[in-house]
Structure formats: structure tokens, C-alpha cells
Amino acid sequence: MFFLREIHRHPEFRNGMRATASVAPGIAAWGLMTGVAMVKSGMSVLEAVAMTLLVYAGSSQLAAIPLIVAGAPFWVIWATGFCVNLRFVVFSLHLRNYLMHLPRWRRLVNGFLTADLSYALFTGRYSEPAQDAPGRLAQESYLAGNYFLTWVAWNGASLLGIALANWIPGAWGLGFAGVLCLVGVLCSLANTRLRLLAAAIAGSAAVAAYALPLKLNIVVAIAIAVLACFWLEGRRPPPREKLA
Amino acid sequence: MSGVTDPWTLFVIAGLAGITVLARCFFFILDRPWTLPGWAHRALYYAPVAALAGVVVPEIVMSNGHFVASWQDPRIFGAVVGAAIYFWRRSVLATMIAGMAVYLPLHLGLGW
């Protein structure tokens, strides 16, 4: 809620921005390439701008691009986007303790703007929710500082990328940069043996079922991989895998 | 598709914006506390990685609806190097830069 005076005048707002400053160049570089990748994959400038400002979630944006270009039905694109975003569902269970005292519209704005790095920085600084009003305001201000700078870095760089993309020939294949970003995110998520297996099964199934209409191969791939991992979980000795 | 704004695409984008809000606010949209059934909680651990792999792998190994039989494909080299760099540097940005550093010379230089 960086537009509220009581938040952006709070000293913790500056501290939050300072903490984000070290990761902002990385966010900006990723945003820049996402902007280029959207336009070079065939989206119009208006579509790319709308996606940057409204969707505001790098991996689900990039995952949606090939599906949109292929003309997949809307529910397949939304279901895929939701699955890619499921990590935020886990975060929201945690953030609930910090935000429930706020009115709903303020919770939703805070939630929409809190992406991966803001969540990590915020919960790293405040491991416990505040118990009194000044403490809660300080925590909300710190979170707002985190996501304000993130928002500026991501959207500024994405809009620059969209503008630059018009000057870059399509034959260069810069849209592939978006796929490579997803490869990096995929590697970061495959952090247990069963998750690595889920990735391998889903990848193979998506290729094997590629001929299915409506991009249903993605839906089939997710279902097979999740069910296979459920089945394997039941067959394993007590898990030593970390669960988050 | 290229460069022309399609109302259907804008509709899909608006829905994806709603998906972002739904996912990021999932457990604090409602005022009362609630939990997911156990199986759904377990699915949270596998569905994101499965969804990404399901989207990404065909983008790397398929071409015009067919499996790429030739090894002379710059995407495969770029993706393999990018993944290796991820496990070395733990950075998505490094993955993207290294992958493009492999992909662009093969694609533009050798014309693969």
C-alpha cells in the first residue's frame, strides 16, 4: 500500500526498499527479457503491456505465452497459470498471520504485489507477526518498501523491453530467453528427488501427448506427474525430503 | 498473431491477472480461517514443477508439432547449458544469459 501516506512516510518503508535494492538489478534484467520475449513471441504491444501491468507474475506470464500463441482454450491457460503460481498459495498461508488485521481490499492489494523476493525478504526480517498496532504498521511499511521497488524495477524494465523489442529482428530468436528463464525457475523448483521426478514425468508426458487438441497435453502432464508422485510417496520409507 | 491486438487475448490476460490475485491471496481472501484437504496440500508440492516442465520441455524439443530428431538444434544446447549453469550459480539470470550465449551463436552464426 505504498500510496498511503502513513506507509510511505514510515522509516521501515525505506528500510524495505534498501533491502530490495541488492536484488533489483536481477529483477530488472529478468523483466527486460520478459518484455522482449512477449513481443518477439507474437504478442501485440498493447497485449504485452497489459500482461506486464495486470498479470505481474514472471513465470506464469512466460508459461502463458506459448499457450496463447498456440490458441489454447482460456481454461487451459488459466489452469496452467494457477499451477505455476501454486507456490504463492503456500506463501499466502504464512502471510495470513501478518495481514488479517487489515480490511479485505488492503489485504488483496498487499497480496497481489507480494511476489517471491518480497515474501522472502519480508519473512526473513520479521519471523513473527507484530502484536500491536505500531508494530503492524511497521511490518506493512517494510513489506510495501520491498514490493514498491520490485514493482518499479520489474515493470520499468518490462516496458523498456517491450519498446526495444520493436527494433530487434524476429529472426534473432530472442523469445527463447523467456524459455531459458523458465528453465532456471524449473531447476530452482526441482529441489527434492520426487519433485525432480515430477518434472521428468511431466516433461515426457507433455511431449508424448503433444498431439492432443487444445493443449490438453499440459493438463495431462500435470495430472500424471502429481498422481505418480502421490503413489511413490506412499511407497517410500518416511520422507527425508524437505517439504517447502 | 504478430502485432495485432486480439480481444480474446486481452480476456485471457485479464483472467490471468485474476489468477495472480487468487494465488497470492489464497488463504486471506476470506475472513475466517480455513484449510485445504490433505491431498490438495500434497499436490501443492508437485503441481508447480510439473506445470512448468509440461510447458517448457515441448518448447525445447518439439518443432512444428514434431519431436526434433536432429541434434543440430540450438535450443537443446542452450537449455542444457542454462540448466547446468543454474545448478552452479543458483541464479535464473545467469541461466538466461549463459543459455542465450550458447543459443545465439549457434542460431545466428551456424544457422541451425
Side-chain angles (χ1 to χ4, degrees), chain A residues 1-2 4-18 106 125-126 132-145:
Chain A
M1 305 299 299
F2 48 82
L4 293 181
R5 190 187 174 86
E6 54 175 356
I7 296 287
H8 70 240
R9 289 287 173 87
H10 199 286
E12 276 300 273
F13 184 77
R14 282 183 165 276
N15 290 337
M17 288 215 290
R18 204 169 295 132
R106 211 156 143 174
R125 166 135 169 90
Y126 292 110
D132 55 0
R136 285 171 176 160
L137 187 65
Q139 291 192 346
E140 195 190 354
S141 302
Y142 187 80
L143 181 64

Side-chain angles (χ1 to χ4, degrees), chain A residues 29 33 42 44 46-47 51 54-57 63-64 66 68 72 77-78 80 82-83 85-86 88-90 92-93 95-96 99-100 104 107-108 111-112 114-115 171-174 176-177 179-189 194-195 199 202-203 206-207 210 218 222 225 229-230 233 243, chain B residues 1-6 8-13 15-17 19-33 39 41-62 65 67 75 78-79 83 86-87 92-93 95-96 99-100 103-104 107-108:
Chain A
M33 289 317 297
S44 76
L46 177 65
E47 288 165 356
M51 198 176 221
L54 299 178
V55 182
Y56 191 55
I68 290 174
I77 302 175
W78 291 352
T80 305
F82 188 67
C83 284
N85 276 339
L86 278 177
F88 295 127
V89 171
V90 181
S92 79
L93 186 59
L95 284 176
R96 180 185 162 83
L99 298 175
M100 266 330 272
R104 180 180 287 132
R107 298 201 299 265
L108 294 185
F112 172 68
T114 303
W172 287 11
L174 288 192
F176 190 65
V179 175
L180 285 168
C181 287
L182 289 181
V183 168
V185 176
L186 181 60
C187 292
S188 74
L189 288 176
L194 271 176
R195 280 183 175 175
V207 170
Y210 198 81
I218 312 283
I222 297 168
C229 285
F230 278 4
E233 252 183 359
L243 284 178
Chain B
M1 186 80 202
S2 68
V4 182
T5 302
D6 180 0
W8 179 82
T9 306
L10 291 178
F11 165 72
V12 170
I13 288 169
L16 280 171
I19 295 288
T20 303
V21 174
L22 178 68
R24 291 204 177 134
C25 305
F26 200 77
F27 281 108
F28 51 81
I29 295 174
L30 298 179
D31 286 325
R32 60 185 171 77
W39 63 267
H41 247 287
R42 283 161 59 212
L44 288 180
Y45 297 121
Y46 305 113
V49 73
L52 275 180
V55 172
V56 168
V57 174
E59 287 299 306
I60 295 165
V61 303
M62 308 286 286
F67 191 74
R75 295 174 301 167
Y86 180 83
F87 287 109
V92 174
L93 187 61
T95 302
M96 196 263 291
M100 288 309 273
Y103 172 84
L104 284 179
H107 177 62
L108 294 176

